[in-house]
Amino acid sequence: MLKPPAGAEPTRDQLERWDREIVWHAFTQMAEYEPLIIERAQGTTLVDIDGNEYLDGVASVWCNVHGHRHPRLDAAIREQLDRVAHVTSLGTSNPTTIKLAKRLTELAPEGLGHVFFSDDGATAVEVALKMALQYWRQRQDPRPDKTVYVALGDAYHGDTLGSVSVGGVERFHAMFQPLLFEVLRTPAPDFYRLPEGVTRENATQHYLRALEKLLAEQHQRIAALVVEPLVQAAAGMRMHPVGYVRGLRELTRRYDVLLIADEVAVGFGRTGKMFACEHEDVAPDFLCLAKGLSGGYMPVAATLTTDEIWQAFLGSYADSKTFFHGHTYGGNPLGCAVGLATLEVFDEERTLANLVPKIARLEQHLARIAEHPHVGDARQCGMIAGIELVADKQTREPFPWHEKHGHRVCEWARTQGVLVRPLGNVLVVMPPLSVSLDELDRICQAIEGGIVAVTEA
Ligand SMILES: *Cc1c(COP(=O)(O)O)cnc(C)c1O
């Protein structure tokens, strides 16, 4: 074997310099970027190039499910590698891809019998948006005027232009306004900052009434409504009141509007059930999946849909009803192999049943953390927590965003060996579902310590 020339391996300092100067990191101000280079991982623990260990408190940004280097998942990829690494989904297939599609239709809410694979959450949403529009144009009784979408305030559906169009996070999306298509907004439920006159008891009704008004006026031109059911993650882990998603389903049915459920963040056990829609017995017209679908290993995404939608695309080639859309790596067998193994591990390790004590433990930590004078709200949905820091607990006045309180708490937590990422002034707890109770304690204690250190400094 040829040996690489001596000195070919970069030094530690070279890696850091190249990381600072060459690699352009996502959602990162590179002028202020401080490299943290993770070399390996095991379970919930990440290890950097200096051998420092960190608990992965945000599941490598909301995607890791069963831990890093899980033997079953590692083996699934190796076994697939011995057969074939990639098969195009343009006109060909692969047993692993087919098996994952079948398994997803068995697990998903009723009626979602067809699966379109892509490679990321944003693409899973793009697929649903385009399919919805094309469906209205070519179904038996065509409705070509249905070309507009409804989305929630502060929504986040990914960073491609279609998903940014339906997105509503001012700081991320305002810049690109000239490129975006028209979207109608319905206000996002905000339990912590309810509008004047709205109570926790009537919040569901209030927000559904706002939507109904919009649908009643404009349903003729609305193709679909897109929502992150139960938790609007990037908005700061904002949570929907009970009955809201159920109400969305009823209203969209009544007004002939398709419902797109973006479960990219909340799917695969995050909320305590396999899919968030199950909490409200909702079957959407489109279910968008990514992040946890591969256990957090590979870029795999899927858009599930109904037979009603599927039928509208059938015909001879000359009918031109084909869905002219695809991503080179959609349905990639390596990704599907680890996706299939991820779902098997849910059964083998009874992942959902084992979450019950962890969800209870997280609740205990949040109850204590909520007492802190600068914690305005500590909200939870299953294994998702958002701890909102405020300058004034009485008035709920936020800390100015540029003071980076959330970021500073996370920096402090890092000194305790815990890696977490904030959403502005909201601290996020979202470890792999395989986290142990002890590890969960350490993650919450590090955040709590950080809150004390930063707000009392
Ligand atoms: C992360 C996320 C996306 C985008 O997924 P990518 O894989 O980053 O493109 C879309 N929707 C929701 C709700 C997300 O949390």
Side-chain angles (χ1 to χ4, degrees), residues 209-349:
R209 219 177 289 131
L211 174 64
E212 176 149 29
K213 186 163 179 291
L214 181 68
L215 294 182
E217 284 165 5
Q218 310 210 43
H219 66 97
Q220 303 284 6
R221 61 187 201 105
I222 299 173
L225 179 147
V226 54
V227 63
E228 302 162 73
L230 258 53
V231 183
Q232 289 187 245
M237 299 303 163
R238 268 163 69 170
M239 298 178 188
H240 294 158
V242 174
Y244 180 70
V245 176
R246 168 99 229 148
L248 290 186
R249 176 69 284 190
E250 285 164 10
L251 287 173
T252 49
R253 278 243 163 79
R254 191 175 315 154
Y255 287 96
D256 236 354
V257 166
L258 298 169
L259 179 64
I260 302 171
D262 174 357
E263 293 220 21
V264 171
V266 294
F268 300 102
R270 260 302 140 197
T271 64
K273 292 188 189 280
M274 189 55 98
F275 299 114
C277 282
E278 291 173 37
H279 289 270
E280 307 229 323
D281 242 339
V282 159
D285 298 292
F286 296 95
L287 180 66
C288 304
L289 304 172
K291 291 196 172 104
L293 170 54
S294 69
Y297 268 56
M298 305 267 293
V300 183
T303 307
L304 277 67
T305 192
T306 63
D307 205 50
E308 164 90 20
I309 304 291
W310 163 276
Q311 290 294 338
F313 288 74
L314 300 183
S316 73
Y317 187 77
D319 290 342
S320 225
K321 288 185 169 180
T322 307
F323 187 51
F324 288 110
H325 182 113
H327 299 275
T328 301
Y329 287 105
N332 170 265
L334 285 176
C336 289
V338 72
L340 209 47
T342 295
L343 296 174
E344 282 161 9
V345 172
F346 266 95
D347 292 333
E348 290 162 12
E349 299 187 355

Side-chain angles (χ1 to χ4, degrees), residues 368-380:
R368 189 183 67 249
I369 292 170
E371 298 295 309
H372 190 276
H374 285 287
V375 172
D377 191 30
R379 45 191 177 259
Q380 178 186 12

Side-chain angles (χ1 to χ4, degrees), residues 372-375 389-390 399 405 408-409 449-457:
H372 190 276
H374 285 287
V375 172
L389 302 177
V390 286
F399 281 117
H405 278 79
R408 281 154 55 202
V409 170
I451 292 171
V452 172
V454 167
T455 60
E456 289 173 13

Side-chain angles (χ1 to χ4, degrees), residues 62 120-123 125 156-159 228 233 262 264-265 290-291:
W62 321 343
D120 267 296
T123 54
V125 173
Y156 178 80
H157 299 289
D159 292 321
E228 302 162 73
D262 174 357
V264 171
K291 291 196 172 104

